[in-house]
Amino acid sequence: MAAAAALPDPAVFHFVAIKPTHYDDDGYPIQWVRSAIPSNTLACLNGLAEDVRRRNVLGPDVDFRIHTYDETNRRVRPEQIIAMIRRDGGRAMIGLVGVQSNQFPRAVDLARPFLAVGLQVCIGGFHVSGCIAMLPELPADIRAAQAMGISLFAGEAEDKRLDEVVRDAWAGRLKPLYNYMDDLPSLQGEPAAILPREHVRRTSGSLSSIDLGRGCPYQCSFCTIINVQGRKSRFRSADDLERVVRDNYAQGIGRFFITDDNFARNKHWEELLDRLIAIREGEGLNIGFTIQVDTLCHKIPNFIEKAARAGVRRVFIGLENINPDNLLAANKRQNKITEYRVMLQKWRAHGALTYAGYIIGFPGDTKESIKRDVEIIKRELPLDILEFFFLTPLPGSEDHKLASARGDWMDGDMNKYDLNHRVAHHPKMSDKEWEEAYKTAWETYYTPEHIRTILQRTAANKLGRLSTTLTTILWFTLAYSYEGVHPLEAGAFRLKFRSDRRFGLPRESPLLFYPKYVGGTAVKLVQYLSLYLKTKAMVKQIARSPQRYDYTDLAIAPPRDDEFEALDLYHETNGGEGALARKRRDDEIRDKAAAPVPVSIARAS
C-alpha cells in the first residue's frame, strides 16, 4: 500500500466517502441534476464517520473532516479533492463506498488519480463482499485493483470497525484487505444513517434512507443479499428508527426509503410501525415512507393497515414472475401467484402506489411467453408500476457461483451488470431474442392504453393519488424509452462531461461531443414535453369525468366465485394449474381443520 502523501499540518484528517455511479454505453458516468434514490451506504458511512469524530478516535487534537459525494447527482472531480487536501493540509483516505458490481470499473477509475499522488484508497461494497463470500478466489478485476494499491473492505463497518480502518489510514498503513464477512455485526444502537440536507436535496422528492434490518432468510438463487448480509436477519430498534427520523426531520427531511430487502419479515415490524404511528398521529409530523415487501405480506395480521397509518405510500414488491415453474427454478418458493391479486388489491385499498420487479430470462421464458405474461398482468393484476430486469448472474449470488464453476460464458465487463444489460446466454432464446424480449416487455406494459387504465384505476380510488401516479409513470416511461437507463438509476436532467469518459476510451472532440449532448438533450426535452402534455390532458379528462368513481375492470373488481376458473393467470402460464391445485388442497385442509367438531363426537371424547 502506498504511504500517505507528505502533507503539511498532520493534525488534520480528511475522510472522503464517494458513492460511485457507473458508465453508460458510451462510457460516460450516469449523472443527474437530481437522482432517484439516495445512497443508504453513504448515509450509514457518514453516520459512522460522525461517530468516529465525536469519539475522537484519532485523538482530541486531530481535526477529523468528513466529505461525502454521491456521484449519481454530483460530479466528482478528483483533482479538486486533491487540491482541497493539499490546501487544508493533513492526511487523507479516499473511500469508494457501497460499490456494486456495475460500479466497480468506475470506482477503480476514480481511484487512479488519488493513487497517483500517494493518497490511500479503499473500496468496499457488494462486489468485493459478494466475491469474497462466494468464490474460491478473487476475480481478475479485484486482483488488479489490489495490484494498483487499492485496499479492500468486505463486510459491514458497524461495531466500531471503521475505527481500525481510520487509524490505519492515519498511520499511512492501510491493509490490503479488511475482511469481516464471517462476523456480521448487530445494528442496535449503532449511529443513525444521515446525510447533510444539501445531499438529500439532490434526490427526487428530497428523499433520505433508513435500513432497519439486514439479511434475508429466503434462498433466491439470483440474490446477493443473502450471501453478503447473511440469512439471519439483524435489526435496528424502534429507538434507532425514531432517532434517524427525528435527526432528519430536524433538517427538513420527512420522506424516507426503508431499504430493507423485505420489511415484512422484520420480526419487530409492529413495534417499528407503532413508533412511527405515534410520531405521525400523536405529534403531527408529516413523514412518509417507501418500503420493500414480499408477496405474502398481506397475510400478516394488521401489517398493511399499520403500514398505511405509519405513512407508507409507496411499496416495492418482489413479484419477479407469474410463472410458478420459473419461480421454483430460482428457489423463490415463497411467492404464491394465487395470492398476488388479494395482496395488490389490499395495498390499493389503503392508497399505496405499488411497484413490482419482474425478471426477464428465467429458463422457461420465451419471447412469446414473456409478452403473454405481461398482457395477463395488465389485465388481471391491479399493479401500478412494473419494472423489468434481465436475469443476471450477479457476483455474490448462487447463480454466479455455479456459472463460474461450470465455466459458462458471462460478459467480462462488470459495468454491464446493472440488470439492464444481457450478460449471459439463455437456454432457449438467442441473445438477440432475449434482448428483444426485454425491450418488448417495457413496450408492452407502458402503452398509452395501459397508462390510461392505470390512471383510471387510481382515479376511481378515493385514496388514490392521481398526480403522484402520473409523475411516477412518466419517470419510468421516459427513463427507459428516451434515456436508455433503468428507471431506478434515472434522474432529472442528464449530465455529461467530456473529460469524465471511461478510462481507456478516447476523449471525444468538442466539435462532436457538445453538439451531440446539447442537441440530444433538446430532442429529449421536446419528447418529454410532448408525452407530459398528452398524459396531463388524459389525467384532466379522467379526473373531470362524471363516471370517475364508477370505473372498474377485471383487475380491481371484487373477487368472483369463478375467479380461479376464469383467470388466465392460473391457466395460461406453465405451472399455473399446479399452483391452483396446491391452493385448493391447502384450502381444503384448512377448512377441515376449522370445521366444528360434531356434538356426538365431542361428547364421546
Side-chain angles (χ1 to χ4, degrees):
M1 187 73 210
L7 299 171
D9 189 7
V12 176
F13 183 79
H14 300 272
F15 180 77
V16 182
I18 302 171
K19 170 64 175 177
T21 183
H22 79 113
Y23 296 109
D24 64 17
D25 291 341
D26 293 324
Y28 292 99
I30 299 175
Q31 292 176 323
W32 313 90
V33 172
R34 283 188 173 226
S35 59
I37 298 175
S39 169
N40 187 64
T41 302
L42 191 62
C44 287
L45 261 294
N46 182 66
L48 293 172
E50 291 281 6
D51 183 58
V52 168
R53 176 162 59 187
R54 276 193 302 269
R55 291 185 290 108
N56 292 320
V57 167
L58 295 181
D61 298 327
V62 175
D63 182 3
F64 190 94
R65 301 182 185 180
I66 303 168
H67 314 274
T68 51
Y69 300 82
D70 185 343
E71 201 186 18
T72 62
N73 54 41
R74 182 183 182 187
R75 189 184 184 194
V76 175
R77 305 189 68 174
E79 70 279 5
Q80 291 187 356
I81 297 173
I82 292 167
M84 173 203 60
I85 294 170
R86 285 177 167 163
R87 181 188 68 244
D88 295 347
R91 302 172 185 174
M93 186 190 83
I94 314 300
L96 284 309
V97 306
V99 179
Q100 300 171 15
S101 294
N102 67 89
Q103 298 159 347
F104 194 77
R106 176 61 181 166
V108 171
D109 286 352
L110 283 170
R112 295 176 191 276
F114 295 113
L115 294 171
V117 298
L119 292 175
Q120 301 171 107
V121 178
C122 184
I123 294 180
F126 263 65
H127 185 59
V128 171
S129 298
C131 289
I132 286 177
M134 297 298 286
L135 298 178
E137 60 180 26
L138 290 176
D141 62 337
I142 294 181
R143 294 200 307 272
Q146 282 187 308
M148 292 169 59
I150 296 173
S151 176
L152 304 175
F153 187 97
E156 299 170 5
E158 282 81 11
D159 196 23
K160 298 182 172 55
R161 293 166 184 180
L162 185 60
D163 294 9
E164 178 188 5
V165 181
V166 166
R167 288 192 184 103
D168 288 350
W170 173 249
R173 297 192 298 269
L174 274 183
K175 297 181 178 67
L177 173 64
Y178 296 85
N179 185 359
Y180 291 104
M181 288 305 299
D182 294 331
D183 185 19
L184 298 176
S186 168
L187 301 180
Q188 290 200 16
E190 289 293 333
I194 189 168
L195 285 171
R197 177 170 172 75
E198 60 268 23
H199 280 46
V200 177
R201 291 181 65 182
R202 296 191 183 102
T203 62
S204 176
S206 294
L207 185 71
S208 191
S209 63
I210 310 171
D211 63 338
L212 298 177
R214 297 179 193 164
C216 179
Y218 295 131
Q219 300 181 32
C220 308
S221 65
F222 53 80
C223 182
T224 59
I225 288 173
I226 55 178
N227 302 312
V228 173
Q229 296 185 347
R231 295 185 181 178
K232 181 180 179 181
S233 298
R234 295 160 290 128
F235 309 108
R236 296 189 193 270
S237 68
D239 290 340
D240 296 331
L241 169 60
E242 182 173 347
R243 185 169 65 253
V244 173
V245 170
R246 291 192 184 280
D247 287 352
N248 278 279
Y249 201 79
Q251 57 177 358
I253 299 162
R255 297 291 177 267
F256 303 90
F257 176 32
I258 297 178
T259 61
D260 303 31
D261 188 57
N262 188 352
F263 180 68
R265 298 305 134 190
N266 187 318
K267 63 182 180 181
H268 305 295
W269 68 266
E270 190 162 25
E271 180 184 356
L272 295 167
L273 293 180
D274 283 343
R275 184 68 63 91
L276 295 176
I277 291 169
I279 294 173
R280 290 186 83 242
E281 298 180 354
E283 301 180 36
L285 267 65
N286 182 19
I287 52 177
F289 300 87
T290 299
I291 64 173
Q292 301 182 105
V293 297
D294 60 37
T295 58
L296 295 176
C297 59
H298 64 293
K299 298 182 79 69
I300 304 173
N302 295 320
F303 178 79
I304 291 180
E305 290 81 358
K306 288 201 171 186
R309 288 180 61 194
V312 171
R313 294 292 178 263
R314 297 172 186 258
V315 183
F316 284 87
I317 302 161
L319 200 75
E320 315 306 6
N321 212 267
I322 63 169
N323 186 330
D325 287 346
N326 283 340
L327 295 169
L328 186 63
N331 285 332
K332 199 171 182 70
R333 294 176 172 86
Q334 67 272 22
N335 276 26
K336 312 294 183 187
I337 68 165
T338 50
E339 298 290 343
Y340 286 1
R341 278 172 57 82
V342 177
M343 178 267 300
L344 289 167
Q345 287 189 345
K346 192 167 184 180
W347 278 117
R348 179 178 182 274
H350 286 81
L353 187 69
T354 53
Y355 304 66
Y358 200 85
I359 297 175
I360 304 294
F362 283 117
D365 282 340
T366 65
K367 185 178 176 181
E368 294 74 23
S369 72
I370 290 167
K371 181 175 174 59
R372 177 203 66 201
D373 293 351
V374 174
E375 292 289 0
I376 290 173
I377 292 171
K378 289 165 58 178
R379 190 169 57 250
E380 300 182 359
L381 296 180
L383 185 64
D384 297 312
I385 304 297
L386 192 59
E387 50 184 329
F388 300 97
F389 305 94
F390 275 103
L391 181 62
T392 301
L394 289 170
S397 69
E398 185 72 14
D399 285 350
H400 181 268
K401 177 182 178 180
L402 294 177
S404 298
R406 292 191 301 262
D408 295 351
W409 178 85
M410 292 181 285
D411 200 302
D413 184 3
M414 286 293 113
N415 189 68
K416 294 180 180 178
Y417 284 67
D418 58 357
L419 311 185
N420 197 41
H421 289 80
R422 179 193 58 78
V423 297
H425 298 313
H426 191 269
K428 288 186 178 180
M429 293 183 282
S430 67
D431 294 347
K432 182 180 179 182
E433 286 175 331
W434 193 0
E435 290 166 355
E436 288 176 348
Y438 181 72
K439 182 172 183 287
T440 298
W442 284 104
E443 294 172 348
T444 299
Y445 191 79
Y446 291 98
T447 62
E449 296 77 16
H450 191 58
I451 289 174
R452 173 180 283 274
T453 296
I454 297 170
L455 293 171
Q456 285 178 306
R457 291 172 181 170
T458 303
N461 182 1
K462 286 184 168 55
L463 294 178
R465 293 172 298 149
L466 200 52
S467 177
T468 300
T469 303
L470 169 64
T471 55
T472 306
I473 289 174
L474 286 174
W475 185 285
F476 274 69
T477 304
L478 295 172
Y480 180 78
S481 300
Y482 300 128
E483 294 290 355
V485 300
H486 195 280
L488 292 186
E489 61 179 15
F493 197 85
R494 176 70 194 275
L495 299 175
K496 281 188 180 182
F497 301 95
R498 189 172 70 94
S499 60
D500 291 353
R501 202 172 192 194
R502 187 173 183 178
F503 180 80
L505 293 180
R507 183 175 296 188
E508 289 187 284
S509 163
L511 298 178
L512 293 175
F513 176 82
Y514 291 108
K516 185 167 61 175
Y517 173 52
V518 174
T521 300
V523 169
K524 285 187 289 188
L525 288 176
V526 171
Q527 293 170 327
Y528 290 178
L529 182 61
S530 175
L531 182 59
Y532 172 77
L533 292 175
K534 288 178 183 177
T535 51
K536 188 68 174 178
M538 185 189 300
V539 165
K540 286 184 178 180
Q541 182 188 43
I542 292 170
R544 294 173 180 174
S545 171
Q547 289 81 40
R548 169 179 176 171
Y549 295 108
D550 297 328
Y551 175 83
T552 189
D553 60 30
L554 180 59
I556 64 175
R560 299 161 30 179
D561 291 339
D562 66 342
E563 178 160 318
F564 292 122
E565 288 72 28
L567 295 181
D568 291 336
L569 179 65
Y570 309 117
H571 302 290
E572 290 294 325
T573 62
N574 295 330
E577 293 280 1
L580 188 55
R582 285 190 293 275
K583 176 175 175 54
R584 286 171 171 158
R585 184 175 64 249
D586 292 344
D587 288 349
E588 183 178 349
I589 293 172
R590 186 185 65 247
D591 291 344
K592 285 182 178 179
V597 179
V599 176
S600 59
I601 296 177
R603 286 175 177 170
S605 62

